[in-house]
Amino acid sequence: MTHEVVGRVEELGAELAALADENESLGKLSDRTVELLKSAGVIRLLQPKEFGGFGAHPRDFAEAVMAVARYDGAAGWVSGVVGVHPWELAQLDPRLAHEVWDDNPDTWIASPYMPGGIAEPVDGGYLLSGRWPFSSGSDHCGWDFLGALLGDGKGRPAGPITVLHVVLPRSDYEIIDGTWDVVGLSGTGSKDVVVDKAFIPEYRTIRQEEVQEGTAAEAVGLTDTLYRLPFSSMFPLGITAAVIGICEGALAVHLGQQRDRVAVTGVQVRDDPYVLYAAGEAAAEIAASRVQLIDGISRLYDQVEAGRPISLEDRANVRRNQVRCAWRAVSALDEIFARSGGNAIRRGNPMQRFWRDAHVGLQHMIHVPGSAYHANALAAMGLELPEPMRILI
């Protein structure tokens, strides 16, 4: 079934690509784009089968996200971000999954996980207030996953710092229009959301450390390998897959446009060894990024399935490679964009949109190389990671 999802994306590819400019102008995905993504089933790949999903291998999810991003970077990004939330939701109290999916298994959930508010303990749950930027796809989502700091009852974070992931229905938060004015990935509609003293029942929350370590599934009786993978490996997967897919899309457009292009010198580009060399090298680099990203999550999946524990070093290796995948692919895109000719910068040319989208994708905190590489080196030497750094691994 999961290969059918990718096949369906390919069938819809021409229409997804044709809608990309409209999505950028709207500052969010068009209703038609959302309709196409739902018909393909991309967002349900990691959703439990009992709630209308596919419970697919994370490799298949990554490949589906790449397929979407090849046609429209914004649609691929939303697929990668929103598509991982069913995976985490499955690890919370099943009452929440019934609330979200019983009436409509195509209900989407947004995020972000950055702790932008304080959850004050009250009887039966928490009162939450705060503001969160970068809630991708929020206009089309019925719920939102938000990160929050556990409060001390006096409006301050409790010590030691505890991060919660909490889930709110659309009625409990406000989407702030006009907060997503950016140079790339404009169509993701990653707007700010605001919460003012919303009550969150205890069963709609989970401590970040539980999902971070991959132990949350056991608490709710989930035995599927998929749901026992660590958050720090799964959450970046869809985002990096989108960036790689964007670069694959740019490469395809570049090759199609260079086939018959004549340079100002009068020479056909197909006879220019420098442009062709760059294209071949870029193709190899982007392909390597795809392989390394899929290899990392597949290795962890096989490890968990075989009953072998995942060490901090294992997680650090996957994070290191995931960051490198994104940067390698975008660096390759830079090489071909520089050789695409002056027409590549025209608004009507998808090359410039792919180029902008890819660079904005690198701005996500999961693609910051310094902390990921630093943590990987410490883990490889058997040394302790500082707590703030450990949260990201």
Side-chain angles (χ1 to χ4, degrees), residues 288-311:
S289 295
R290 162 185 276 267
V291 170
Q292 192 171 35
L293 182 68
I294 291 174
D295 174 75
I297 200 65
S298 296
R299 283 175 180 269
L300 289 188
Y301 187 97
D302 292 346
Q303 202 166 323
V304 171
E305 192 163 59
R308 299 194 304 273
I310 295 176
S311 68

Side-chain angles (χ1 to χ4, degrees), residues 7-35:
R8 179 66 174 150
V9 170
E10 298 296 344
E11 291 173 5
L12 300 172
E15 187 174 359
L16 285 168
L19 290 164
D21 283 337
E22 179 185 358
N23 294 335
E24 184 162 65
S25 297
L26 289 171
K28 63 179 181 179
L29 296 186
S30 66
D31 291 343
R32 178 57 180 164
T33 298
V34 171
E35 184 181 337

Side-chain angles (χ1 to χ4, degrees), residues 350-386:
M351 276 300 296
Q352 51 79 29
R353 191 185 63 248
F354 278 126
W355 184 79
R356 288 184 290 108
D357 287 351
H359 279 274
V360 170
L362 283 187
Q363 294 299 114
H364 195 286
M365 56 83 63
I366 66 156
H367 288 142
V368 176
S371 56
Y373 294 165
H374 184 171
N376 178 253
L378 290 177
M381 291 187 285
L383 300 174
E384 286 293 318
L385 271 62

Side-chain angles (χ1 to χ4, degrees), residues 129-151:
S129 294
R131 183 168 183 144
W132 292 258
F134 309 123
S135 188
S136 297
S138 53
D139 287 290
H140 300 285
C141 294
W143 297 72
D144 215 320
F145 252 118
L146 300 176
L149 296 175
L150 178 64

Side-chain angles (χ1 to χ4, degrees), residues 2 18 26 153 165 183 205 245 248 286:
T2 50
L26 289 171
H165 292 177
V183 299
T205 73
E248 290 178 336
I286 294 169

Side-chain angles (χ1 to χ4, degrees), residues 161 163 208-215 230-233 236 310-317 319 365 370-380 382-393:
I161 293 295
V163 178
Q208 180 171 283
E209 63 194 44
E210 295 177 65
V211 69
Q212 183 84 10
E213 300 293 332
T215 59
F231 177 83
S232 59
S233 304
I310 295 176
S311 68
L312 182 65
E313 184 176 358
D314 292 331
R315 298 196 331 236
N317 287 344
R319 279 285 286 128
M365 56 83 63
S371 56
Y373 294 165
H374 184 171
N376 178 253
L378 290 177
L383 300 174
E384 286 293 318
L385 271 62
E387 192 57 38
M389 185 178 291
R390 190 182 181 94
I391 290 174
L392 302 174
I393 301 300

